[in-house]
Amino acid sequence: MSENKSYAFFQGEIVPEEDAKISIRTHALQYGTGVFEGIRAYWNEEKNELFVFRMKEHYLRMLDNIKILHIECKHSAEELCDLTIELLKKNAPKTDTYVRPFAYKASIMVGPGLQNNPSEFFIYTVPFGAYFKAEDGLKVMVSSWRRVDDNAIPPRAKISGAYANTALAKTDAYNMGFDDCIVLDQNGHVAEGSAMNIYMVKNGELITPPSYENILVGITRNTIAEFAQKEFGITVKERKIDRSELYTADELFFCGTGAQVVPVVEVDKRKIADGKMGPTTKRILDTYEAITHGKMDAYSHWLTPVYAAAGNKIGAR
Ligand code: PMP
């Protein structure tokens, strides 16, 4: 970080993060009316370069989702990518980093309405290593909390207020001694993890809940579906998953920008297969790591280099 000071993009300019302050009355703080993204940038020591992973896809998802909350953003996805590179250059990390863009309603009036309510936007970045510490895989429970429904708070939108649902599920799982949890939707089908998507392996098939099953349609989920086909010839099947199928799965794993790819080895105190990471999960985890760290040229179009953005072969967006 330059001068040991962290900068943020805030109200149209890059400012010291300590100066990026908002009112205690802010609508998004009071009513949860923000839409955020989580983007990872990976440090490649060999290439002395920081690579941002699938940045444009994240911004395109955010620009889609803000429409749901009547939030306006004056920047295009391309401009948001450029701003992010500029900010990362300013913060100059030489380590894996998380980028958090946040588009939100900024009114300071009392009342939940989204009308006559100005939109604001900021980005901050923070050094970020592994999200989970459990190296041998996660022991999880099925949460008693249900995922918010598309007709309540659309989970596809990454709305900040909806993460109270995530917080309840994750905290109860943690307090009961589990690493995380699997959340069902209102109809009792598997939706996703607390803040990651889920894949199940059964009889050689790779299965994940469909986009209309009250999930965030994860960029990692989609990334895996794409390379599983290209690298291993496995076509991902999108279908509803019953709770009891979790217990009898051959393999289970979570995936997400923060979580990356992480095996789930126990659900509700039932071992998944032999209780160890399975071979398909291992292949997917290794491939995901190689791709995100710029070690597989066929996927270099998903990576944007920060420091050599101009003139570097890798990272055409
Ligand atoms: N589901 C939820 C609820 C999440 O918060 C996340 C993390 N953004 C994901 C899934 C995974 O999405 P992505 O792969 O786009 O990070």
Side-chain angles (χ1 to χ4, degrees):
M1 233 177 285
S2 46
E3 307 146 29
N4 287 329
K5 202 175 192 174
S6 192
Y7 291 85
F9 179 79
F10 180 67
Q11 294 180 338
E13 54 183 341
I14 291 179
V15 298
E17 198 185 303
E18 66 214 32
D19 296 340
K21 297 205 173 104
I22 58 168
S23 164
I24 56 171
R25 299 186 185 190
T26 303
H27 201 270
L29 175 66
Q30 298 290 334
Y31 303 109
T33 49
V35 169
F36 65 98
E37 270 303 327
I39 309 172
R40 259 191 194 267
Y42 290 90
W43 175 245
N44 184 318
E45 187 68 49
E46 222 170 90
K47 296 182 178 162
N48 201 31
E49 183 57 281
L50 187 69
F51 291 109
V52 193
F53 188 62
R54 304 204 74 176
M55 176 164 54
K56 192 166 172 189
E57 288 86 340
H58 280 281
Y59 281 122
L60 286 171
R61 179 170 74 183
M62 191 187 85
L63 291 176
D64 271 350
N65 291 338
I66 60 174
K67 293 178 196 157
I68 298 172
L69 276 191
H70 296 281
I71 295 172
E72 281 123 40
C73 180
K74 51 178 178 258
H75 305 289
S76 66
E78 286 78 11
E79 285 165 358
L80 292 168
C81 289
D82 291 344
L83 284 173
T84 304
I85 297 294
E86 203 185 320
L87 179 64
L88 282 167
K89 274 190 176 147
K90 182 87 178 165
N91 282 330
K94 290 197 160 197
T95 182
D96 291 351
T97 301
Y98 193 75
V99 178
R100 168 55 57 83
F102 191 72
Y104 63 102
K105 283 298 190 186
S107 165
I108 53 167
M109 307 298 282
V110 173
L114 299 165
Q115 71 285 2
N116 302 322
N117 190 334
S119 302
E120 272 294 352
F121 175 75
F122 62 69
I123 316 173
Y124 66 84
T125 77
V126 65
F128 202 65
Y131 182 78
F132 286 114
K133 303 278 178 282
E135 278 157 22
D136 299 333
L138 305 178
K139 296 178 177 170
V140 309
M141 65 180 288
V142 172
S143 182
S144 61
W145 297 97
R146 295 289 169 99
R147 182 95 306 164
V148 280
D149 188 79
D150 191 56
N151 289 297
I153 311 177
R156 77 177 70 247
K158 232 171 154 39
I159 294 172
S160 56
Y163 280 72
N165 177 250
T166 302
L168 290 169
K170 191 172 175 75
T171 307
D172 277 8
Y174 176 82
N175 286 343
M176 287 182 208
F178 294 93
D179 298 314
D180 208 277
C181 59
I182 294 169
V183 190
L184 309 178
D185 71 0
Q186 300 296 324
N187 299 318
H189 294 116
V190 172
E192 51 186 352
S194 61
M196 12 332 138
N197 291 115
I198 187 166
Y199 271 100
M200 173 173 88
V201 181
K202 186 71 184 175
N203 299 329
E205 280 189 322
L206 199 48
I207 303 158
T208 197
S211 58
Y212 49 83
E213 203 60 25
N214 294 301
I215 64 169
L216 178 73
V217 186
I219 285 162
T220 319
R221 168 192 183 272
N222 297 350
T223 296
I224 291 169
E226 197 169 326
F227 76 67
Q229 177 67 57
K230 277 198 194 132
E231 301 299 318
F232 315 127
I234 307 176
T235 307
V236 168
K237 197 174 202 175
E238 291 190 21
R239 67 155 173 84
K240 287 186 201 301
I241 298 177
D242 282 338
R243 173 187 190 150
S244 54
E245 285 187 278
L246 297 170
Y247 305 146
T248 57
D250 295 334
E251 299 178 38
L252 288 174
F253 64 89
F254 283 145
C255 64
T257 299
Q260 304 179 93
V261 177
V262 55
V264 173
V265 295
E266 224 180 87
V267 180
D268 290 342
K269 302 281 180 192
R270 291 161 178 88
K271 267 189 188 150
I272 304 309
D274 62 356
K276 299 203 176 78
M277 174 169 15
T280 304
T281 306
K282 173 91 176 100
R283 281 204 292 179
I284 287 178
L285 190 154
D286 289 346
T287 309
Y288 186 73
E289 192 179 286
I291 291 173
T292 50
H293 286 80
K295 293 177 185 159
M296 284 176 76
D297 286 348
Y299 300 92
S300 60
H301 57 286
W302 282 342
L303 298 168
T304 308
V306 172
Y307 301 121
N312 190 324
K313 283 210 302 291
I314 297 173
R317 294 201 290 264

